[in-house]
Amino acid sequence: MKRHFIYLPALLIAGAALTGCKSQQKAEEALALPANPFITHMYTADPSAHVWDDGRLYIYASHDVDPPRGCDLMDKYHVFSTDDMVNWTDHGEILSSEQVSWGRPEGGFMWAPDCAYKDGTYYFYFPHPSGSDWNDTWKVGVATSKYPDRDFTPLDKPMENVGGFALIDPAVFVDDDGKAYFYYGGGGKCYGAQLADNMIELAEPLREMEGLEDFHEATWVHKHNGKYYLSYADNHAEDGRGANRLCYAMGDSPLGPWEYKGVYLEPTGCDTSHGSIVKYKDQWYAFYHNQDLSGQGNLRSICVDKLEYNPDGTIQLVQQHKK
């Protein structure tokens, strides 16, 4: 009996150690990152990252057309997904300007999108001009689907009371209580408002977001430990200091007021910067784009890196990796 008494704990210890090794191995596998950029068969930008109920992480991205002619030819949206952060599926094109009945006849200008989910329907938000004088006629369209990666049908008119000069980059945040909030901006101004239950109308007038410093574009909102974070691209390129950075502010409500906290992503190599932040399998990630594949700022490629928080809730500077 004595031998069995001594031997059994040894087995338990060995088994616990083996289980610990397996758990550590699984954790390391879950946190593995792909080489950056991680989509290489086409040029993509403006990644909007979401985790839906099926357990996969989805990226809704704009498409840089090769050969480029500035950013006016951007014309189609693709969806990519993964369940391990390393292997990605291209679900193909989900929307093009040809499907937008109210859009400019010349097409193009399908810039940074976003997606939200409510009550069995996915809502895809995209900016698009309604006239040839593109920068004065921005609107925001909505396409809907019962699936996250296909069969999106655009509504026959844009969102009401949303649009104007340089107002682009729609973003939607759904809070823990199910209330949804709409944001967009450009030209130095950022606006937000609660969405109506139908997810295609505003429940209140848009208001300018207070407390942001040097706002340029690329609004994104997420929540961490009860705090709200509004991140965006600054004007670092426009004022001659280099290329745009991704900054963020914190607040106690989805519509602010906001307190500026600084830069979380330094320039990536191209003038523009646009990112999203999402939690997947117990790890936070920052998505963004660079120009490493092409060497051209209008042929961009999406990337991902881990994002970490300090004990006070502020965000640590993201360390960009290449491969």
Side-chain angles (χ1 to χ4, degrees), residues 67-319:
R69 190 184 66 196
C71 291
D72 59 323
L73 295 180
M74 296 172 66
D75 207 32
K76 303 175 186 345
Y77 296 111
H78 273 242
V79 179
F80 307 90
S81 76
T82 184
D83 61 6
D84 62 8
M85 293 300 296
V86 174
N87 299 291
W88 291 83
T89 299
D90 181 356
H91 297 278
E93 177 189 321
I94 61 165
L95 188 68
S96 72
S97 65
E98 296 174 353
Q99 299 171 258
V100 184
S101 61
W102 52 263
R104 69 195 300 264
E106 300 92 334
F109 289 102
M110 302 289 275
W111 287 4
D114 196 14
C115 193
Y117 174 80
K118 184 176 181 179
D119 296 336
T121 299
Y122 295 88
Y123 297 85
F124 183 74
Y125 303 84
F126 60 95
H128 187 58
S130 58
S132 297
D133 190 5
W134 62 271
N135 208 27
D136 287 323
T137 62
W138 284 108
K139 302 290 185 181
V140 172
V142 185
T144 63
S145 175
K146 293 300 181 182
Y147 306 96
D149 56 0
R150 64 190 186 277
D151 297 346
F152 279 90
T153 301
L155 304 182
D156 59 5
K157 61 181 181 179
M159 294 181 67
E160 294 182 1
N161 303 315
V162 174
F165 174 77
L167 293 176
I168 55 174
D169 299 349
V172 172
F173 166 73
V174 180
D175 207 349
D176 300 331
D177 59 5
K179 294 180 180 178
Y181 299 84
F182 173 87
Y183 310 84
Y184 75 156
K189 295 184 180 297
C190 178
Y191 296 95
Q194 186 177 334
L195 276 171
D197 288 340
N198 62 14
M199 298 293 283
I200 60 176
E201 296 176 315
L202 300 179
E204 59 183 356
L206 288 159
R207 68 183 84 166
E208 188 168 356
M209 298 292 92
E210 299 178 356
L212 308 181
E213 293 186 11
D214 200 26
F215 176 88
H216 177 56
E217 59 185 14
T219 308
W220 181 265
V221 174
H222 76 280
K223 189 177 184 180
H224 170 66
N225 284 351
K227 288 288 187 179
Y228 299 88
Y229 295 72
L230 191 154
S231 50
Y232 59 93
D234 66 8
N235 290 287
H236 211 234
E238 282 67 21
D239 61 14
R241 291 178 290 167
N244 290 347
R245 307 168 300 183
L246 290 181
C247 307
Y248 75 103
M250 295 173 62
D252 293 321
S253 81
L255 295 173
W258 304 97
E259 182 179 356
Y260 178 77
K261 293 297 183 180
V263 175
Y264 80 88
L265 187 77
E266 293 288 358
T268 67
C270 55
D271 287 345
T272 65
S273 198
H274 192 114
S276 58
I277 296 171
V278 70
K279 186 179 183 181
Y280 186 55
K281 294 186 177 180
D282 297 323
Q283 173 66 51
W284 286 91
Y285 295 96
F287 288 86
Y288 57 94
H289 61 235
N290 66 24
Q291 63 178 46
D292 283 7
L293 287 185
S294 69
Q296 301 181 58
N298 48 13
L299 290 176
R300 298 160 294 182
S301 301
I302 56 177
C303 304
V304 62
D305 276 298
K306 295 177 184 178
L307 181 138
E308 305 289 350
Y309 297 87
N310 295 309
D312 64 356
T314 56
I315 299 175
Q316 297 178 14
L317 189 67
V318 172
Q319 301 301 309

Side-chain angles (χ1 to χ4, degrees), residues 35-47:
N36 276 332
F38 62 87
I39 300 298
T40 59
H41 66 282
M42 62 184 294
Y43 293 110
T44 53
D46 310 320

